[in-house]
Amino acid sequence: MRSRTTVVDDRKSSGRIRHDTKITVYVTEEELLGLEQTRLALRAEHGLMADRGRIVREAIDVLLADFVDHGPDSVLVRRLRASEDGAAELKGSE
């Protein structure tokens, strides 16, 4: 069985190719607007053409690499802990 680290280390963002696997992710209007603004800024400010899917795949790749490199100190772990702590605080105040 391959470790989590090996699996993530072996991958890079797939870029713009035909993808056979699909997931559905629900986002807020604000998140979708931010994604679209990022797409437009990449084009206007950096001359880079990328669709929203490509940006999301790149973001996933960066986040997973950070997780492998920094584990408990990674951005992912810190953000998930913060959101759990915030949810627990909200639940405790009810």
Side-chain angles (χ1 to χ4, degrees):
M1 181 174 182
R2 296 174 73 193
S3 73
R4 169 190 55 82
T5 302
T6 303
V7 171
V8 176
D9 281 344
D10 287 350
R11 69 174 296 284
K12 293 226 183 277
S13 173
S14 57
R16 191 158 176 83
I17 62 167
R18 178 171 170 77
H19 294 89
D20 297 326
T21 306
K22 177 181 176 178
I23 64 169
T24 300
V25 177
Y26 292 91
V27 297
T28 64
E29 284 186 38
E30 184 178 308
E31 291 166 334
L32 183 59
L33 182 59
L35 185 56
E36 189 62 20
Q37 288 172 335
T38 299
R39 185 186 70 78
L40 293 171
L42 285 168
R43 182 177 175 184
E45 298 170 22
H46 305 283
L48 297 170
M49 301 289 284
D51 60 31
R52 294 181 299 207
R54 173 78 187 273
I55 296 168
V56 169
R57 287 189 300 275
E58 291 293 341
I60 290 169
D61 189 53
V62 169
L63 191 69
L64 294 177
D66 179 65
F67 178 65
V68 167
D69 291 344
H70 301 103
D73 297 322
S74 67
V75 171
L76 179 61
V77 171
R78 290 193 322 256
R79 290 180 61 103
L80 290 174
R81 279 206 178 111
S83 68
E84 277 187 4
D85 292 346
E89 287 177 19
L90 284 176
K91 191 173 184 179
S93 66
E94 292 178 352

